[in-house]
Amino acid sequence: MPDDRQPKRLRVGLVGAGGHAHRNILPTLTYLPVELVAVADPREAHAAETARRWGAERHFASAQQMYEWGELDAALLVVSPEAHPDLAMAAFRAGLDVWMEKPAAASS
């Protein structure tokens, strides 16, 4: 029987599977009510290895492909600030919530 006191685990996709994601972001997900279900990175082999290592069910060569997959509640953007605006807007258009680190953009 499910425990209604447990928070819903959001299905999240990670955009950007570089060193910062591996050292600082992915290890913290175990403390949050989220389930990593997908990883997107233009280096598809890197996305695949990251997905395998962290237990995600899918990997993608682009964030847009992952957003179109349609099985996410939110996107975690772990990319340079220059990439935040376009990736965030695409996620919003796909109906996703977005988490990103500061700064939200390289300039106003």
Side-chain angles (χ1 to χ4, degrees):
M1 176 180 254
D3 185 350
D4 292 337
R5 294 172 297 175
Q6 293 296 320
K8 176 187 181 235
R9 292 179 59 83
L10 297 175
R11 292 176 53 86
V12 300
L14 177 78
V15 179
H20 179 64
H22 282 271
R23 286 187 308 276
N24 301 302
I25 304 305
L26 289 163
T28 67
L29 297 184
T30 61
Y31 300 101
L32 302 173
V34 301
E35 177 184 2
L36 179 68
V37 296
V39 176
D41 194 283
R43 302 163 296 168
E44 190 169 7
H46 196 69
E49 174 56 24
T50 301
R52 184 200 61 75
R53 180 176 177 197
W54 293 95
E57 56 192 69
R58 299 285 303 267
H59 70 275
F60 299 89
S62 77
Q64 189 60 45
Q65 289 173 335
M66 184 175 75
Y67 299 162
E68 290 171 1
W69 177 46
E71 298 288 326
L72 300 175
D73 296 314
L76 309 177
L77 305 184
V78 187
V79 296
S80 68
E82 294 80 14
H84 283 163
D86 290 339
L87 290 170
M89 291 307 297
F92 292 143
R93 283 191 293 276
L96 301 175
D97 290 327
V98 173
W99 175 89
M100 71 178 84
E101 296 180 285
K102 62 181 184 180
S107 70
S108 59

